[in-house]
Amino acid sequence: MRVDPRKYLFFLVWAVSISASSPALAQGNREIAIVFDGSSSMAGRMEGKIKLDIAKDALSEIVKDIPAGSRVALRVYGQRFSVDEKEKSCQDSEAIYPMGAVDAESFARKVASIRARGYTPIAFSLTEAVKDFTGEEGWKRFIILVSDGLETCGGDPCQVARDMQAAGAPVVIHGIGFSVDDKAREQLTCIAEATGGKYFDARDAGGLLSSLQTIAKKEREPAPAPPAKPPPPSPAPQKPEYLPPPQKTRFGKEIRGGRYYEDAVPIAPGQYRLDHDLRVDEYDYFKIAVKNGQQLRVQYTTPDEGRPSAGALIHTADRLSVTADATLNTRSKTGAVSMELFDKGKDPLDFYILIGNKYEPQSKNALIDVFLDDHFDGGSQGDAGPKLESALEVKAGEYESNWLSRGDVDTFKMGAEPGQVVHVKAMPAGERSHMELIFYNEDREKLGGFSSKDRGAAVKGNAKVPEGGVYFQIKHGVSSDASTSYRMKVEVMAPK
Ligand SMILES: [Ca+2]
């Protein structure tokens, strides 16, 4: 039976035109990266013909139907190395026709040169295909992935597709399965759906053709004119404009900070937005009092449309930066700056929160969340601190929530009679944490030291209470300094 290459052509073209039907795509030109299967199985047969030949015919034909003004790239994976060279074949993804206007003759020559030889590195190829786009503003980006089977190089192409969306530079991927099995169909569908694209099955050619004809006919009808929109307020030329995700409800109380430290506006934990846009390197100043043993965290989320930048900084009352410069430049992403206050006495200290970033103008629609979390020790309202003189007094009992911040040392004094034995057990929440427990007398002489046997394990130990009472410290072990909460149990026993 002769296979009509145009039926494959048909859904390749339709894959593009259905996207064009979306109102978001009604305007603007398209960059289409075709990712094409040159793996060994394409040498197999389908409907009496070599699959590669069928696909080649379709590819050569479609260029005639590519909408005017579009750019096309052709990338082939798996064709350069045989299945005997897995490592090389799994890194084999080559743009044989770079992104640009299509010259039918030279495109056809490239298509004719494709061979079917190696593995199927789909994940790798998708990652590479993103580089085929010019990144020019106003161009919509599509990948048409043609495969006759599953990824065979161990990659996770569906995850790659999801990551591409999460990275804020969306590409719509349409997957085409050539005579694929259920697993490959599932994978290609997952890739397509993760990006808002469609999957096309080329096995049931007859049924597919008729339904595609119906849809394609509809797609060719002129779309109703969209309602006139006022032009957007003078967008500065910067990153390419991609498909806007659906609009979300706006949260956050509108606030305005001071222009500098002197007129910083007091702020409480909560969710906010600024009531105005910011220029590059312009900041709104706020201030907040942080107690010893609290963590201040400022989270910033870039808006889902408009300028994608947001940033925040925490400064001390001395105007020193506590946090590294932190900004985002991707839509609908969240970042945070935070600091934990410990070993700093009983009075709260003032900190400044600066909203803004030094790289890009920042939209007022960036969302700002301010959190003040209690990282207290031993049931107190503060941090136990590093000094014996100011140790936190505890009694026998269980203390559910204690914190070892980064660089923190917690010192406790135990109320017990000389001669009694004090048992302490501390269990970190952090699975990578390694903790130490050290007992002292009032002269800071070490009575005994213990460390957790494994990372994430409890540290436990005991000491006989000397005259003047017993102190103990809990601190991070060697090469373990991540902030963690821990449970602590303290027991007093009579000497044996
Ligand atoms: Ca602490």
Side-chain angles (χ1 to χ4, degrees):
M1 181 186 105
R2 165 148 170 79
V3 175
D4 178 4
R6 290 206 63 105
K7 76 174 71 160
Y8 299 100
L9 155 69
F10 209 88
F11 56 74
L12 283 165
V13 172
W14 182 74
V16 177
S17 65
I18 188 172
S19 304
S21 73
S22 148
L25 296 174
Q27 293 167 355
N29 290 320
R30 302 172 189 89
E31 287 189 343
I32 303 157
I34 300 169
V35 178
F36 194 79
D37 191 344
S39 68
S40 60
S41 53
M42 286 291 279
R45 283 175 182 268
M46 177 182 177
E47 294 183 293
K49 220 180 161 192
I50 291 169
K51 283 198 274 185
L52 182 63
D53 291 340
I54 295 172
K56 278 182 173 183
D57 287 348
L59 268 186
S60 301
E61 286 289 324
I62 69 159
V63 296
K64 299 172 189 165
D65 296 78
I66 295 283
S70 298
R71 295 171 180 159
V72 175
L74 176 60
R75 167 173 290 277
V76 181
Y77 59 83
Q79 70 155 338
R80 282 184 293 181
F81 302 96
S82 79
V83 287
D84 298 323
E85 296 178 275
K86 180 168 183 180
E87 205 171 306
K88 284 181 182 170
S89 182
C90 282
Q91 298 284 308
D92 177 17
S93 176
E94 185 190 12
I96 62 172
Y97 191 93
M99 187 64 75
V102 176
D103 174 69
E105 208 172 293
S106 63
F107 193 87
R109 271 203 304 277
K110 289 293 181 186
V111 169
S113 74
I114 299 172
R115 293 187 292 172
R117 297 188 69 191
Y119 282 81
T120 306
I122 297 178
F124 176 71
S125 289
L126 291 179
T127 308
E128 292 293 298
V130 173
K131 301 173 191 166
D132 295 342
F133 297 107
T134 62
E136 198 175 311
E137 191 176 353
W139 287 74
K140 316 300 180 194
R141 316 194 306 170
F142 299 92
I143 290 174
I144 297 175
L145 169 64
V146 183
S147 177
D148 78 339
L150 276 172
E151 160 84 42
T152 57
C153 289
D156 184 350
C158 193
Q159 189 57 46
V160 168
R162 283 190 212 108
D163 291 346
M164 276 158 74
Q165 300 309 296
V171 179
V172 173
I173 305 175
H174 297 299
I176 295 170
F178 264 114
S179 183
V180 293
D181 61 15
D182 288 347
K183 280 192 171 174
R185 187 177 299 115
E186 200 178 301
Q187 188 170 68
L188 289 165
T189 304
C190 178
I191 293 166
E193 288 181 356
T195 63
K198 297 260 182 191
Y199 170 72
F200 301 88
D201 203 316
R203 175 178 289 179
D204 187 3
L208 178 69
L209 187 60
S210 62
S211 57
L212 285 176
Q213 278 171 329
T214 311
I215 300 164
K217 191 178 165 207
K218 188 169 171 284
E219 292 298 328
R220 287 199 189 109
E221 286 165 11
K229 265 188 181 174
S234 60
Q238 38 166 324
K239 301 287 175 220
E241 290 289 323
Y242 303 121
L243 304 184
Q247 258 197 339
K248 290 178 191 159
T249 314
R250 304 229 172 280
F251 299 101
K253 186 183 166 197
E254 284 205 341
I255 48 166
R256 176 178 288 248
R259 294 292 88 209
Y260 202 57
Y261 297 102
E262 281 80 8
D263 60 355
V265 173
I267 193 171
Q271 190 167 58
Y272 305 100
R273 282 188 298 131
L274 296 184
D275 68 356
H276 59 107
D277 294 333
L278 291 170
R279 292 190 295 270
V280 174
D281 210 18
E282 181 190 19
Y283 301 89
D284 267 41
Y285 288 73
F286 298 92
K287 64 181 174 187
I288 188 166
V290 182
K291 274 192 206 169
N292 196 28
Q294 282 185 320
Q295 182 190 45
L296 170 62
R297 191 155 53 91
V298 182
Q299 192 174 288
Y300 45 94
T301 303
T302 54
D304 52 20
E305 57 177 9
R307 297 188 185 284
S309 294
L313 288 162
I314 299 174
H315 285 191
T316 65
D318 301 332
R319 305 178 182 184
L320 298 171
S321 186
V322 178
T323 54
D325 179 30
T327 61
L328 285 170
N329 194 5
T330 305
R331 291 209 180 111
S332 296
K333 291 286 263 189
T334 294
V337 288
S338 69
M339 50 84 56
E340 291 174 290
L341 189 64
F342 54 91
D343 299 352
K344 287 289 184 290
K346 290 202 161 40
D347 295 330
L349 296 178
D350 279 335
F351 287 84
Y352 294 106
I353 296 171
L354 282 63
I355 304 299
N357 79 89
K358 68 179 181 189
Y359 302 105
E360 305 257 7
Q362 182 163 327
S363 164
K364 67 183 214 173
N365 290 326
L367 198 59
I368 312 296
D369 288 278
V370 177
F371 301 95
L372 210 46
D373 299 323
D374 293 341
H375 287 184
F376 298 145
D377 296 321
S380 74
Q381 294 289 303
D383 175 62
K387 293 180 186 154
L388 261 56
E389 292 72 31
S390 54
L392 180 66
E393 289 204 32
V394 287
K395 297 187 170 72
E398 292 192 35
Y399 299 89
E400 282 301 315
S401 183
N402 313 271
W403 276 86
L404 263 187
S405 302
R406 184 177 283 269
D408 190 10
V409 174
D410 290 338
T411 311
F412 301 91
K413 182 180 185 189
M414 180 63 204
E417 297 300 318
Q420 289 182 315
V421 177
V422 169
H423 290 256
V424 175
K425 175 178 161 182
M427 180 76 191
E431 288 178 6
R432 304 286 302 156
S433 289
H434 183 255
M435 297 169 85
E436 289 184 5
L437 165 67
I438 300 161
F439 289 93
Y440 295 92
N441 67 16
E442 61 178 352
D443 298 323
R444 296 186 197 157
E445 289 165 343
K446 198 168 159 181
L447 303 175
F450 306 85
S451 52
S452 42
K453 282 190 178 147
D454 297 300
R455 283 187 183 275
V459 59
K460 46 197 172 183
N462 60 72
K464 194 172 168 186
V465 180
E467 291 295 328
V470 69
Y471 297 79
F472 62 89
Q473 275 184 339
I474 290 174
K475 59 183 193 178
H476 292 283
V478 184
S479 72
S480 164
D481 195 27
S483 181
T484 180
S485 70
Y486 61 95
R487 279 186 289 128
M488 181 169 75
K489 187 175 181 182
V490 185
E491 294 172 289
V492 181
M493 292 174 189
K496 283 176 185 167

